[in-house]
Amino acid sequence: MEMHENLSFEEAMRRLDAIVKRLSQAECGLDESLKLFQEANQLSQFCRKKLDESDGKIKEILGQADAERDFEG
């Protein structure tokens, strides 16, 4: 998955979308399809990780806001 670590979430999603379109055209051979499927799987894991990290940050921010509100209130 290291090959995708420098991508932004949006870039990874665009690449994933391009792979899905390519695979749905059914014009590539088995070997290329397997390579594309593997890359898509890696991109999917990368995007899931990014979403999980963002979710954690949002929960942390909301938790801090709640703590500040409780302290003030």
Side-chain angles (χ1 to χ4, degrees):
M1 187 158 40
E2 300 82 27
M3 65 187 281
H4 301 296
E5 290 297 323
N6 293 329
L7 293 178
S8 69
F9 175 81
E10 293 79 9
E11 291 168 331
M13 287 298 294
R14 281 192 292 274
R15 176 63 184 146
L16 188 54
D17 185 53
I19 291 171
V20 169
K21 287 177 183 175
R22 176 88 171 115
L23 288 172
S24 67
Q25 293 173 351
E27 294 178 2
C28 48
L30 179 61
D31 289 338
E32 183 181 0
S33 294
L34 287 172
K35 287 178 186 176
L36 289 170
F37 180 79
Q38 182 179 14
E39 183 181 358
N41 187 51
Q42 291 172 344
L43 286 164
S44 175
Q45 291 174 12
F46 172 81
C47 289
R48 170 55 55 198
K49 178 182 170 190
K50 289 290 190 183
L51 288 172
D52 288 344
E53 290 171 358
S54 295
D55 184 52
K57 288 178 184 177
I58 290 169
K59 288 178 180 175
E60 181 181 324
I61 291 168
L62 292 175
Q64 289 173 353
D66 287 344
E68 290 174 6
R69 200 175 12 244
D70 290 344
F71 181 74
E72 292 172 357

